[in-house]
């Protein structure tokens, strides 16, 4: 049977799976996402098994199935920047007092960066416990090509010191950053949103009538943006099906087996950090079991989409509606958490890579003179890491050169990157939600308002 016929058959099956998924659109969003995730994983595995000897069939099939996945991701990217901008402005304006902004924001950032430092320490311990090292890893043609691309990317950031990085956080042209053109674009938009919100808050304090008009305008704008997000999220099950198909079918079984120790070590580190989050919640009087039941749809979405930024709207609505976190705090924690202190991508991953490289450079990875500076650099570099797929790679490109280390290992792990990145993203998002809940408890802030436009939840809303 010709390759073209096989591809057509595969695509017919894929369309059938999309139709089958559509039959469940009356169910809760979490159920639909789970269906898409399972179907995508099974279909991707079948592609690998049935066409093991004909990689061109798999490649051609994924080219067309990725039309659905790439379109979905593009829609998410389209709405992320407007969402971040509006949410940050709304968060500041709703606080009504300048002191509250510093108190809430400072606590959230402190929790995010603090847990990222813990995550880096956990990553170092896991890499040592599993005896991971870059020695003996083979470098194939694909990895060599990737290494060259990373070296080119490194040139654009290699000469940046910490002061230069901090300077880049402040936007010189917010419209340019709204396009997501720079790795630090999200945090630049966050900063502009905060400054704009402060200006709006001051104007409202000077003129009460203008203050009401500003609040109503921002409230209406946020409702419109959330409605747009809700429309896009109705497509989530289909996008997840296509994305998981690509991840599973595009992963090499031999590469996965060769790097299985790194995968297991990464997932162990991620599991430990989920435990750290649970401990923080428990110490602040939160039922851990009840918490994870409520946030499960958010974590599932983050796991499938591999994007902390795309998870912001569902993150906020779950914090507000399910966890009873005040909306200003939820806005801040979800938005900050998508670009500051990402426990998985900016904490565990670069720390593990640096620990794996250290022995080949004659460095004892358990030497305090190594891991304390590493943890400090990880904490600083966690500011501004893009909350999208590939953010961990950027984090590694910042941390490794800062430690005087080569970046080739980043390229060698390309084959298994998506498999680990899904869990890392779920950890990133859980870290931001934990920061929001704990901040609300620490500062004893009461919930005072409902969302202008709620997203589908895990129990009753229909997509």
């Amino acid at each position: 049977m010709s390759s073209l016929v096989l591809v057509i058959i595969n695509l017919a099956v894929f369309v059938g799976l999309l139709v089958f998924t559509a039959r469940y659109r009356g169910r809760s969003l979490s159920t639909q996402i789970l269906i898409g995730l399972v179907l995508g994983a099974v279909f991707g595995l079948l592609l690998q098994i049935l066409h093991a000897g004909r990689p061109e069939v798999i490649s051609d099939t994924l080219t067309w199935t990725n039309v659905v996945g790439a379109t979905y991701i593009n829609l998410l990217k389209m709405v992320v920047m407007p969402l971040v901008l509006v949410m940050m402005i709304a968060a500041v304006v709703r606080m009504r007092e300048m002191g509250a902004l510093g108190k809430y924001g400072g606590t959230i950032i402190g929790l995010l960066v603090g847990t990222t430092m813990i995550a880096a320490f956990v990553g170092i311990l896991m890499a040592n416990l599993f005896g991971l090292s870059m020695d003996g890893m083979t470098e194939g043609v694909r990895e060599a090509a990737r290494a060259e691309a990373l070296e080119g990317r490194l040139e654009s950031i290699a000469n940046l010191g910490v002061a230069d990085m901090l300077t880049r956080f402040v936007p010189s042209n917010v419209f340019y950053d709204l396009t997501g053109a720079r790795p630090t674009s999200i945090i630049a938009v966050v900063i502009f949103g905060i400054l704009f919100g402060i200006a709006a808050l001051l104007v409202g304090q000077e003129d009460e009538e203008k203050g009401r008009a500003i609040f109503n305008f921002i409230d209406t704008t946020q409702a419109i943006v959330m409605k747009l997000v809700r429309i896009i999220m109705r497509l989530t099950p289909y996008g997840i099906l296509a994305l998981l198909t690509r991840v599973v079918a595009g992963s090499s079984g031999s590469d996965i087996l060769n790097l299985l120790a790194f995968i297991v070590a990464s997932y162990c580190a991620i599991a430990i950090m989920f435990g750290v989050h649970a401990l923080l919640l428990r110490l602040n009087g939160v039922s851990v079991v009840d918490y994870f039941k409520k946030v499960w749809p958010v974590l599932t979405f983050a796991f499938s989409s591999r994007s902390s930024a795309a998870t912001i709207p569902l993150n906020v609505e779950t914090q507000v509606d399910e966890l009873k976190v005040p909306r200003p705090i939820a806005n801040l924690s979800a938005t900050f958490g998508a670009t500051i202190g990402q426990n998985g991508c900016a904490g565990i991953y670069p720390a593990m890579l640096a620990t794996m490289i250290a022995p080949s450079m004659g460095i004892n990875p358990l030497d305090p003179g190594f891991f304390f500076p590493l943890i400090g650099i990880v904490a600083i570099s966690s500011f501004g890491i893009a909350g999208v797929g590939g953010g961990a790679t950027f984090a590694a490109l910042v941390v490794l050169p800062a430690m005087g280390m080569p970046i080739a290992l980043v390229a060698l792990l390309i084959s298994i990157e998506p498999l680990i990145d899904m869990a890392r993203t779920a950890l990133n998002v859980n870290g931001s939600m934990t920061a929001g809940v704990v901040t609300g408890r620490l500062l004893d802030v009461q919930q005072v308002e409902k969302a202008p436009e709620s997203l589908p939840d895990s129990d009753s809303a229909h997509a």
Side-chain angles (χ1 to χ4, degrees):
M1 192 176 295
S2 69
S3 298
L4 178 60
V5 173
L6 291 175
V7 170
I8 292 174
I9 292 174
N10 291 338
L11 293 177
V13 173
F14 178 72
V15 172
L17 293 176
L18 292 176
V19 173
F20 179 81
T21 304
R23 294 179 58 188
Y24 290 87
R25 61 180 178 270
R27 302 286 185 90
S28 66
L29 180 63
S30 58
T31 300
Q32 295 176 68
I33 292 175
L34 182 60
I35 291 171
L37 189 150
V38 172
L39 291 179
V42 171
F43 183 54
L45 184 61
L46 288 176
L47 288 177
Q48 276 217 16
I49 295 173
L50 297 177
H51 306 293
R54 308 186 72 169
E56 72 280 1
V57 174
I58 297 178
S59 177
D60 292 344
T61 300
L62 294 181
T63 297
W64 288 101
T65 60
N66 194 50
V67 171
V68 176
T71 299
Y72 174 68
I73 292 298
N74 287 341
L75 288 172
L76 290 176
K77 289 179 178 179
M78 174 190 73
V79 77
V80 163
M81 287 302 186
L83 179 68
V84 168
L85 178 60
V86 171
M87 288 180 64
M88 292 312 301
I89 296 174
V92 175
V93 171
R94 283 193 171 98
M95 287 179 187
R96 302 300 177 101
E97 295 180 7
M98 295 294 296
L101 175 61
K103 183 169 63 175
Y104 299 162
T107 304
I108 290 169
I109 292 175
L111 287 167
L112 290 171
V113 176
T115 52
T116 298
M117 295 175 73
I118 296 173
F121 182 70
V122 170
I124 294 170
L125 291 182
M126 286 298 103
N128 279 283
L129 180 63
F130 280 80
L132 299 179
S133 171
M134 71 176 293
D135 295 335
M137 286 191 174
T138 57
E139 185 173 333
V141 175
R142 174 181 51 182
E143 286 77 11
R146 176 65 171 167
E148 291 181 6
L150 290 177
E151 290 288 356
R153 184 177 177 184
L154 175 64
E155 292 177 0
S156 64
I157 62 174
N159 297 322
L160 291 180
V162 175
D164 296 317
M165 287 186 61
L166 294 176
T167 301
R168 287 196 168 203
F169 292 163
V170 180
S172 59
N173 184 340
V174 71
F175 298 102
Y176 179 71
D177 281 312
L178 282 170
T179 66
R182 301 188 299 152
T184 56
S185 284
I186 290 182
I187 197 168
V189 172
V190 167
I191 290 174
F192 177 81
I194 291 174
L195 294 175
F196 191 95
I198 290 174
L201 194 60
L202 293 175
V203 170
Q205 291 175 349
E206 294 171 358
D207 189 320
E208 186 175 340
E209 183 177 348
K210 287 182 180 178
R212 285 195 298 270
I214 290 171
F215 186 87
N216 291 335
F217 172 76
I218 292 173
D219 194 54
T220 301
T221 303
Q222 186 178 22
I224 294 172
V225 172
M226 293 305 294
K227 175 63 74 174
L228 175 60
V229 170
R230 188 176 186 181
I231 293 172
I232 294 173
M233 290 191 67
R234 290 176 180 172
L235 305 175
T236 297
Y238 317 109
I240 295 304
L241 195 159
L243 293 172
L244 260 292
T245 296
R246 184 177 182 86
V247 168
V248 176
S251 299
S252 168
S254 60
D255 287 342
I256 293 172
L257 290 177
N258 290 336
L259 299 170
L260 185 60
F262 181 77
I263 296 175
V264 174
S266 297
Y267 270 85
C268 287
I270 291 167
I272 290 173
M273 282 309 302
F274 269 109
V276 171
H277 295 168
L279 179 61
L280 283 173
L281 292 167
R282 190 69 193 92
L283 291 175
N284 285 275
V286 179
S287 169
V288 175
V289 174
D290 187 52
Y291 167 85
F292 278 107
K293 283 182 179 178
K294 292 176 178 178
V295 304
W296 178 250
V298 189
L299 299 183
T300 303
F301 178 82
F303 182 89
S304 306
S305 66
R306 295 175 56 202
S307 174
S308 301
T311 314
I312 288 175
L314 192 58
N315 182 336
V316 172
E317 296 310 313
T318 299
Q319 286 194 59
V320 173
D321 296 337
E322 300 293 337
L323 302 174
K324 307 307 177 186
V325 176
R327 179 164 288 274
I329 292 179
N331 285 355
L332 287 173
S333 65
T335 308
F336 282 156
T339 189
I340 295 174
Q342 295 185 2
N343 292 183
C345 293
I348 291 174
Y349 184 66
M352 288 185 70
L353 263 57
T355 305
M356 292 170 67
I357 295 171
S360 66
M361 301 179 66
I363 301 172
N364 178 5
L366 292 179
D367 184 347
F370 167 77
F371 67 75
F372 280 128
L374 174 59
I375 291 174
I377 290 174
V378 165
I380 294 172
S381 66
S382 70
F383 283 77
I385 298 301
V388 295
T393 298
F394 179 73
L397 291 178
V398 174
V399 171
L400 295 182
M403 294 293 294
M405 294 179 165
I407 64 167
L409 186 59
V410 181
L412 296 178
L413 299 174
I414 183 176
S415 302
I416 58 170
E417 178 65 15
L419 299 178
I420 306 172
D421 195 46
M422 294 187 293
R424 283 196 306 249
T425 305
L427 178 63
N428 296 340
V429 172
N430 193 67
S432 70
M433 289 189 291
T434 299
V437 174
V438 172
T439 297
R441 292 297 182 107
L442 287 175
L443 302 181
D444 194 25
V445 183
Q446 301 298 315
Q447 174 66 288
V448 295
E449 60 179 319
K450 295 292 289 182
E453 176 62 50
S454 296
L455 293 174
D457 60 33
S458 60
D459 299 317
S460 60
H462 301 305

